[in-house]
Amino acid sequence: MTSLNEIFFNSAKAEGMTYEDILADVQQYCTTNHANTLSGEGSQEKAKALLQEFIMQYVMKCNYAVEGLSLEALSERLYEDMAGCSFLKHWIYKKGVEEVNINAYDDIEVIMSGGRSLKIPDKFLSPQHAIDVIRRMLHKSGMIFDSAQTIVVGHLSNKIRITVMGDGVIDKDKGLSASIRIV
């Protein structure tokens, strides 16, 4: 059972925190307290479910909230930013999307069927966040994106190709440039 002191302390801690602050705290918590548990899991699905559970429990314990997001939506967004495809998941699997072009960590364009182009309001939190998310996506096809391999082509599935350019090819402050093509 949670003590009143813990509830009061956590509520005060949560006040005024941005989503980025919450993400950093949840990442730190999971890394510090659950890294061994998650790395010891045999199944990727079990590890995913455990991480989602740890995130949800910690968000509830800390009384974290972001305007416009339910507890479940906040926990899912945190999971996607920590271990998934971040906001790209929504766009890659959205009906009618042909291509997602990442011109920089904060400049993303979506090409719809029929050629209509839209700049989307979604963006990565930083150049490093963009690199981390794209590395996770490339890992699915066994591709490594680092300073030795600055131009990489991989696949998310047999119908989704991802081409990425990074440091040395584009400016470091932009993070990366990528094209995710849905065939």
Side-chain angles (χ1 to χ4, degrees), residues 25-43 46-62 79 82-83:
D25 186 53
V26 172
Q27 282 179 314
Q28 180 64 40
Y29 166 77
C30 289
T31 302
T32 303
N33 297 292
H34 300 295
N36 290 337
T37 304
L38 293 169
S39 66
E41 270 310 311
S43 159
K46 277 186 180 179
K48 176 182 176 180
L50 264 177
L51 179 57
Q52 288 173 320
E53 185 178 325
F54 293 147
I55 291 169
M56 176 76 83
Q57 288 173 357
Y58 188 66
V59 167
M60 285 180 6
K61 177 184 170 196
C62 292
Y79 172 79
M82 289 170 52

Side-chain angles (χ1 to χ4, degrees), residues 4-151:
L4 290 176
N5 188 33
E6 190 175 356
I7 292 170
F8 177 75
F9 175 75
N10 288 333
S11 294
K13 178 182 174 184
E15 262 184 56
M17 290 183 74
T18 65
Y19 174 77
E20 292 82 3
D21 297 334
I22 294 169
L23 175 62
D25 186 53
V26 172
Q27 282 179 314
Q28 180 64 40
Y29 166 77
C30 289
T31 302
T32 303
N33 297 292
H34 300 295
N36 290 337
T37 304
L38 293 169
S39 66
E41 270 310 311
S43 159
Q44 188 175 359
E45 285 304 311
K46 277 186 180 179
K48 176 182 176 180
L50 264 177
L51 179 57
Q52 288 173 320
E53 185 178 325
F54 293 147
I55 291 169
M56 176 76 83
Q57 288 173 357
Y58 188 66
V59 167
M60 285 180 6
K61 177 184 170 196
C62 292
N63 200 25
Y64 285 149
V66 171
E67 190 175 329
L69 293 177
S70 67
L71 174 67
E72 292 78 15
L74 174 58
S75 296
E76 178 62 24
R77 182 172 172 194
L78 289 165
Y79 172 79
E80 282 299 323
D81 279 335
M82 289 170 52
C85 299
S86 191
F87 63 87
L88 292 176
K89 179 180 179 181
H90 167 77
W91 293 102
I92 293 169
Y93 299 105
K94 184 175 182 166
K95 186 175 170 84
V97 172
E98 286 186 359
E99 191 168 354
V100 177
N101 291 317
I102 303 167
N103 303 312
Y105 81 95
D106 59 353
D107 179 13
I108 294 105
E109 182 178 13
V110 172
I111 311 296
M112 304 297 290
S113 304
R116 190 179 67 154
S117 170
L118 5 134
K119 291 278 189 184
I120 61 172
D122 300 320
K123 64 180 183 174
F124 294 101
L125 303 173
S126 67
Q128 189 59 51
H129 181 234
I131 292 167
D132 293 343
V133 169
I134 296 300
R135 279 184 178 152
R136 282 194 301 269
M137 293 171 74
L138 286 167
H139 181 73
K140 292 177 182 180
S141 64
M143 301 305 295
I144 296 172
F145 176 61
D146 59 17
S147 58
Q149 210 47 19
T150 58
I151 300 176

Side-chain angles (χ1 to χ4, degrees), residues 138-166:
L138 286 167
H139 181 73
K140 292 177 182 180
S141 64
M143 301 305 295
I144 296 172
F145 176 61
D146 59 17
S147 58
Q149 210 47 19
T150 58
I151 300 176
V152 177
V153 177
H155 292 84
L156 302 179
S157 72
N158 63 350
K159 294 186 176 187
I160 303 173
R161 181 189 71 233
I162 179 170
T163 305
V164 184
M165 294 178 285

